[in-house]
Amino acid sequence: MTTQPPMPPAQPEQPDAGAVPTCYRHPDRETYVKCQRCERPICPDCMREAAVGHQCVECVREANRGVRQARAVFGGGHVTSPRVTYTLLAVNILAYLAEVVSTDWVLNTFAMQSYRVGLLGEWWRLITSAFLHAPPTGGGFGLTHILFNMWALYAVGPELERRLGALRFAALYLISAIGGSIGVYLLGISAVGASGAIYGLFGALFVVSKRLGYDPRGVLWLIGINVVLTFLLPGISWQGHLGGLVTGSLVAVAFAYAPEKNRSLVQWGGAGAILAVLVLLVAVFPPSLFLVGG
């Protein structure tokens, strides 16, 4: 009986040596460029610049997963350009232009007026008034009012935004603005201006400087000079300045001194608690409490 020798194992098909390589993501595109990591062919749309040569989309994405994202000093996202500061500058300027066009309507609708907030429930004035300033035809400071506040925001804002991160800086500014309006609500009658928020930034800059071990005397001089001007120059709302300074300092303490463990939770919880207290003050107390004796 004769036996047949075993058949040799099947050999895998060899690619045609003359075949033109195509992109692994776009088979209809010819390419002679390979990813430096996985060596798959990639077309120009799939190329990503690398330290040496190019890499494909998947390899770049996989490498980025292991890269720790840069963070701000106090846990916020890394800030390369202070966009929140620039946005606040733009909003203030646009609001001022609206005042120039229709002064009476803008001020009557959005300016901080204690009795309207307390008796008529026009709560939006607590925040909108912080983006308004003395109109150029209204006497007093006129154009100087917005120029000084915007200069202070431009000088102080970017540094704090880089230290805190964009979201925390925005929260600091807005809560400080509300704190300034609450100061007017409890102790004054009416006011406009970003000064409450600006004083909040001054207080925050002092807190951050102390936390980082910097010499805070320059900040104290800045605050001191502005406090003196507040009481020397007529027509300035010391109530708004005081409210903003105290509020901004407290928010900065919550952000700067939060422990490493559960930092974000403590920071946002502290800022939320401060905001809740401000809202409670408006809900419980009548406007101009101390001026009218309760």
Side-chain angles (χ1 to χ4, degrees), residues 180-205:
S181 296
I182 299 298
V184 176
Y185 175 85
L186 294 176
L187 305 172
I189 298 174
S190 64
V192 292
S195 300
I198 297 300
Y199 269 72
L201 300 187
F202 289 163
L205 189 60

Side-chain angles (χ1 to χ4, degrees), residues 106-119:
V106 170
L107 294 180
N108 290 333
T109 306
F110 300 107
M112 179 60 200
Q113 298 178 5
S114 296
Y115 77 95
R116 287 186 175 274
V117 172
L119 302 180

Side-chain angles (χ1 to χ4, degrees), residues 172-221:
L172 167 69
Y173 187 93
L174 295 176
I175 296 175
S176 297
I178 295 173
S181 296
I182 299 298
V184 176
Y185 175 85
L186 294 176
L187 305 172
I189 298 174
S190 64
V192 292
S195 300
I198 297 300
Y199 269 72
L201 300 187
F202 289 163
L205 189 60
F206 173 78
V207 172
V208 168
S209 297
K210 288 285 291 181
R211 182 67 178 87
L212 295 176
Y214 300 154
D215 187 350
R217 285 179 294 182
V219 183
L220 286 176
W221 273 105

